Amino acid sequence: MGLDDDIAILAAAPLFSFMARDALRLLSFAAERRSLTPGDVLFARNERSDGGYVVMSGTVELAPRGAGAEPVRVGRSALIGQMALFLRGERPTDAHAVTAAEVVRITPTLMRRVLEEFPDAAEAIHAALHDDLGTLIEHLDGVRARIDAI
């Protein structure tokens, strides 16, 4: 893949759509690439996170988090581990390649560098995360109301 292809894939990923081409170029150059063959483990549950991943090609499966849940399969431009872009913590699930795949790893250090160099992107991402958190709180309030009614 060429640089233009990489930038287009990153631009289609959640959160990165807010970034200008120069910011995406920096991510593309500085991110670590990893090629996976079918069955390769990307990361394991409870493993310490080292960044988020964008799927550049292929398919990656995330194991179900709870009993009765289905695995989630993601492909090109999927962002795996959004919070791991900003914070180090433990992985909540296992992830492995279903098909041959290529991913790029974006560490919190790299993400911070990009956001410092491109403050407009930082503001847009902050607003998007703020909106997501607001939606989550609304949903949790609805669950609380249903529980209280019982």
Side-chain angles (χ1 to χ4, degrees):
M1 272 185 264
L3 180 60
D4 288 336
D5 294 329
D6 288 354
I7 290 171
I9 294 167
L10 289 171
L15 290 188
F16 298 119
S17 62
F18 299 111
M19 294 185 173
R21 184 173 175 78
D22 288 341
L24 295 170
R25 181 180 295 116
L26 175 56
L27 279 176
S28 181
F29 280 126
E32 175 189 314
R33 294 186 175 283
R34 184 168 169 197
S35 295
L36 304 168
T37 59
D40 282 354
V41 174
L42 180 59
F43 55 77
R45 182 183 318 266
N46 298 325
E47 182 178 281
R48 184 136 171 91
S49 67
D50 57 355
Y53 293 91
V54 176
V55 179
M56 303 302 281
S57 65
T59 305
V60 174
E61 183 174 278
L62 304 170
R65 289 188 186 184
E70 295 292 319
V72 175
R73 288 189 176 192
V74 297
R76 186 177 179 152
S77 293
L79 173 58
I80 302 171
Q82 176 175 295
M83 290 312 298
L85 294 171
F86 307 102
L87 303 168
R88 298 190 192 280
E90 290 185 356
R91 299 284 184 190
T93 188
D94 299 317
H96 70 275
V98 176
T99 65
E102 184 176 2
V103 297
V104 292
R105 180 173 63 105
I106 300 168
T107 64
T109 302
L110 174 57
M111 191 68 179
R112 189 171 31 260
R113 177 179 167 205
V114 170
L115 295 178
E116 286 171 356
E117 291 188 30
F118 299 93
D120 290 346
E123 287 179 27
I125 289 171
H126 178 270
L129 292 173
H130 179 270
D131 291 346
D132 288 350
L133 185 56
T135 301
L136 175 63
I137 290 169
E138 287 176 20
H139 289 244
L140 290 174
D141 285 342
V143 170
R144 180 183 2 188
R146 288 193 293 269
I147 291 171
D148 289 346
I150 297 174

